[in-house]
Amino acid sequence: AGMENTTIAAVPRYANVIRFVNCHALTLEDFTAGHTTEPGFCSGGVLRLESCGDVSVTGCGLFGCGTVGVDAVGCTDLTVSNSRIYECSYNAVSVRQCRNVLVENCEIDSHGVRPGQGEAMSLFTAEYTEGFSVHGCEIHDNAVQYLLSARYSKNALFLSNDVHDNRIASSMFTFDQYAAVVDGCRFETNDFRFWVPDHRFDPIDVNGEPLEEAELNEMMLRDIDPDIAVTPVAVEKAAEVRPGESIVVTTVDEFLKAIGPDRTIMLDGELFDLSTAANYGSTGGEYYFWQESFDGPQLVIQNANGLSIGAVNADNTATTLAAVPRYANVIAFRDCENLHLFGFTAGHTKEPGSCSGGVLWFQNCHKVTVDQMRLYGCGILGLQTSQCSHFLIKQTEIYECSQGAGQFFQTDGIAFENCDIHDVPNPALIFNECGDKTWNWEALSGLNSAYDVNDGALSEHPNVVGPTDVEAEFHGGVEEMINPFANEAPMLFKDTFPAGEDFAKTVQQAIVSDDWAALADRMEFPLQFFTDHYSFVIHDREEYLSMAADGYFMNELFTDTFRFRERIAEADTASYAACVFGNSCLDYMIAFTVTGTEPTVENIKITAISVKEPFWPGYYPYVQVTPEP
């Protein structure tokens, strides 16, 4: 009956209204979707698309309460046209690791303006995406941090859009790695601080010329065809292999082209260095893509069900698959079933130095077998999993990794059989929200646990204290205090943790004044950092100060935080969420160690920092209590 007359609604605020996974030739048209309109906040989006292809959203109304109107991950050929997206709290359209996305002739309005709601993040967000176009849209009456944010995204276009009566809290545009084309638009009666932050790329016109603020202000509305401005990205098809058959490869390029479902890839050679790929860090293939990490691209294999990767030589020391970037995992797998990896070695190249990437990483993968493998450091962890099931590791050697053999999150059915784990720090194995675990056919108890491995023997790691123990120690309220996401408003440090406010002030002052030595006094080393795509350890005070002196913390780690010091200087230290990382920077989390029986300013130390990424134990920051002897 049309957008105005038909509504699909959801009640649960943490659920997406409709989620599509592995759908192709999908058409959504002529209806409205959103969460029911009772007062309050929600954390679910409207349309969630994962690993979908050839998708058309036409003539739809997508509204908040809903965090994101269209949220797409790993999709190809997605078009959103002649639709209205309104009143969402995060983004109108957000795409990650997608190809060929077009938002055209849509009305985008009223985001971030509901009573009690702060500004939305960015109306349009593209991350690790090739071919993202916003064309011919009317964009008005929004309150957002950014108009368009593009991170590591090639061929981003913002063309022929009428942009008026918006309030932009930070800047119109923010780009990482690649500038976006902005042309043929009209910008009128918008309230904003900057066109672009000083430390980011300027937008360019269709001729590739950088645009200054005056040129953007004077730009006239005219129609520019996105297909003329940029050529759509072609996806390289996987090699043709009959289901269940093997294909022998001798080079990295042959290996990449062979990646696909229902096949066995046999590596025939001594070294497969992924950095030698012809398309290294650029366009991927039908079943893989390159994801930019801090210091180079990471190979991600997705939707390759029934894939096996092994070696021709039966000696698992004879063939090595290696990665160069130290912050990337060697291979990441996403959304795969019936995976079998066997008979070869994997790790980072052996040049001197430390690294912060793991070896094998799995997300939403099921029925995985790792058999007769050698997983080595330089690599922080041999195995990492998130939301996986039925995971068998047998006759596999994991050695010389800097943070342990494996960390497993929300993974059920983990079995270690006759594995050789050595020369890794303890706890060697960490399980968070993982059930049904065995070591050589003996059950391991507890959803959350950690184990040491010494001389082939497994023993429970001592002195691991999680959130439940802390809550008992402090008589309630601590988990909410340390987790700003648990409440609509952040808990106040001074109400729950009296010493916390003074502690926050000392940290705040150290950051604002560039007093890295004073900040180091508040750190508990080794200090663990977790970010979007990698994690790393700072081992001692000297290493910390050397990195600070190089400008690493301001210029690299926190590049997403605009006005970093200014935000911290303005922050209300009574609020945990604002005290260290600045007002409204709620994506950033820290964890504390408190030594002694009573928390005081002197015995609170920062022991881990997480940038948009949960870390063990628990989904959120935690307090670890170490009683005095």
Side-chain angles (χ1 to χ4, degrees), residues 236-268 272 274 277 279 284-288 299-310 321 333 339:
E236 181 187 24
K237 295 293 183 181
E240 293 285 343
V241 179
R242 287 186 178 183
E245 289 194 350
S246 297
I247 178 171
V248 177
V249 299
T250 60
T251 67
V252 168
D253 289 335
E254 290 176 355
F255 166 68
L256 295 174
K257 188 169 180 58
I259 293 172
D262 300 319
R263 65 191 62 191
T264 298
I265 302 174
M266 299 299 293
L267 305 172
D268 187 6
F272 289 78
L274 296 174
N279 67 356
E286 189 175 6
Y287 294 98
Y288 74 91
L299 176 64
V300 182
I301 297 175
Q302 65 177 0
N303 303 322
N305 297 337
L307 171 64
S308 296
I309 303 174
L321 196 152
F333 295 89
L339 284 173

Side-chain angles (χ1 to χ4, degrees), residues 269-319:
E270 293 183 5
L271 177 63
F272 289 78
D273 182 347
L274 296 174
S275 68
T276 63
N279 67 356
Y280 184 61
S282 60
T283 305
E286 189 175 6
Y287 294 98
Y288 74 91
F289 61 90
W290 297 103
Q291 177 173 296
E292 188 72 22
S293 64
F294 172 69
D295 64 340
Q298 169 181 279
L299 176 64
V300 182
I301 297 175
Q302 65 177 0
N303 303 322
N305 297 337
L307 171 64
S308 296
I309 303 174
V312 171
N313 195 319
D315 180 358
N316 64 2
T317 68
T319 301

Side-chain angles (χ1 to χ4, degrees), residues 384-597:
Q384 297 177 79
T385 70
S386 176
Q387 299 173 316
C388 298
S389 67
H390 298 92
F391 215 92
L392 173 61
I393 310 103
K394 63 179 184 178
Q395 301 182 65
T396 289
E397 182 183 4
I398 305 176
Y399 60 101
E400 297 180 6
C401 294
S402 59
Q403 293 184 22
Q407 292 188 11
F408 305 87
F409 175 68
Q410 291 185 348
T411 298
D412 291 332
I414 305 168
F416 283 87
E417 297 179 5
N418 297 324
C419 292
D420 181 12
I421 296 174
H422 61 90
D423 295 313
V424 299
N426 285 317
L429 300 174
I430 295 175
F431 303 96
N432 184 24
E433 298 183 34
C434 298
D436 188 17
K437 309 177 292 291
T438 61
W439 173 268
N440 290 339
W441 304 277
E442 292 188 8
L444 305 178
S445 62
L447 287 177
N448 302 307
S449 55
Y451 291 88
D452 297 345
V453 178
N454 295 298
D455 298 325
L458 195 71
S459 60
E460 194 161 3
H461 185 73
N463 302 324
V464 175
V465 182
T468 302
D469 303 294
V470 172
E471 188 169 348
E473 176 75 21
F474 289 147
H475 309 293
V478 173
E479 186 170 9
E480 285 73 24
M481 181 276 296
I482 60 176
N483 171 15
F485 301 96
N487 303 276
E488 290 183 359
M491 293 291 290
L492 297 183
F493 244 149
K494 62 184 180 182
D495 292 345
T496 310
F497 203 171
E501 186 173 358
D502 290 335
F503 168 77
K505 288 177 180 177
T506 63
V507 173
Q508 181 186 47
Q509 181 60 37
I511 294 176
V512 171
S513 62
D514 253 355
D515 190 348
W516 297 107
L519 194 57
D521 291 338
R522 315 309 306 183
M523 302 296 186
E524 181 78 8
F525 297 103
L527 180 70
Q528 179 77 58
F529 275 79
F530 296 81
T531 76
D532 271 337
H533 308 296
Y534 57 88
S535 63
F536 63 96
V537 173
I538 299 178
H539 297 89
D540 52 39
R541 177 188 176 93
E542 288 69 27
E543 183 180 0
Y544 178 85
L545 292 176
S546 68
M547 297 175 76
D550 293 337
Y552 178 81
F553 290 100
M554 291 294 99
N555 301 327
E556 300 294 343
L557 184 60
F558 301 114
T559 53
D560 285 342
T561 309
F562 182 56
R563 299 174 53 231
F564 184 83
R565 287 194 188 87
E566 185 177 348
R567 284 180 182 274
I568 291 174
E570 295 171 352
D572 175 11
T573 55
S575 168
Y576 162 79
C579 69
V580 175
F581 291 106
N583 184 28
S584 80
C585 294
L586 290 179
D587 284 337
Y588 299 88
M589 302 184 284
I590 62 177
F592 301 96
T593 293
V594 180
T595 58
T597 57

Side-chain angles (χ1 to χ4, degrees), residues 121 144-146 167-173 192-197 562-563 567:
M121 293 180 181
V144 295
Q145 291 290 329
Y146 303 100
R167 179 162 54 87
I168 314 293
S170 291
S171 61
M172 280 283 192
F173 306 106
F192 58 91
R193 293 192 57 173
F194 305 105
W195 281 102
V196 289
F562 182 56
R563 299 174 53 231
R567 284 180 182 274

Side-chain angles (χ1 to χ4, degrees), residues 36-234:
T36 52
T37 56
E38 287 80 4
F41 300 91
C42 71
S43 297
V46 185
L47 299 180
R48 168 78 173 182
L49 303 163
E50 301 175 24
S51 304
C52 296
D54 189 17
V55 180
S56 173
V57 181
T58 306
C60 288
L62 309 176
F63 71 88
C65 176
T67 54
V68 184
V70 178
D71 187 10
V73 178
C75 296
T76 59
D77 300 318
L78 164 64
T79 298
V80 182
S81 63
N82 301 301
S83 296
R84 183 187 175 202
I85 307 176
Y86 56 102
E87 295 185 4
C88 294
S89 55
Y90 285 8
N91 320 100
V93 178
S94 174
V95 299
R96 292 180 301 284
Q97 293 136 7
C98 294
R99 296 189 185 93
N100 302 330
V101 178
L102 173 63
V103 182
E104 189 168 47
N105 298 328
C106 292
E107 183 179 9
I108 312 294
D109 69 282
S110 307
H111 298 274
V113 297
R114 294 185 64 179
Q117 190 181 72
E119 295 98 352
M121 293 180 181
S122 176
L123 280 182
F124 304 98
T125 296
E127 295 185 348
Y128 305 102
T129 289
E130 296 204 29
F132 176 71
S133 302
V134 180
H135 172 250
C137 296
E138 183 182 7
I139 302 165
H140 65 92
D141 295 290
N142 301 285
V144 295
Q145 291 290 329
Y146 303 100
L147 180 65
L148 169 64
S149 172
R151 300 182 65 238
Y152 301 100
S153 294
K154 295 181 180 179
N155 297 335
L157 308 177
F158 192 81
L159 303 174
S160 309
N161 299 300
D162 190 1
V163 183
H164 63 88
D165 298 298
N166 300 283
R167 179 162 54 87
I168 314 293
S170 291
S171 61
M172 280 283 192
F173 306 106
T174 177
F175 309 133
D176 275 351
Q177 193 67 29
Y178 306 103
V181 175
V182 179
D183 212 337
C185 298
R186 177 169 56 199
F187 300 94
E188 287 188 346
T189 59
N190 297 290
D191 178 14
F192 58 91
R193 293 192 57 173
F194 305 105
W195 281 102
V196 289
D198 293 337
H199 60 286
R200 300 297 173 91
F201 294 89
D202 289 336
I204 57 176
D205 63 18
V206 291
N207 298 314
E209 297 297 325
L211 294 170
E212 302 291 339
E213 179 176 344
E215 295 168 301
L216 289 164
N217 277 318
E218 296 169 0
M219 190 173 285
M220 303 293 290
L221 188 65
R222 61 190 178 95
D223 188 44
I224 301 175
D225 187 348
D227 290 337
I228 295 176
V230 66
T231 303
V233 180

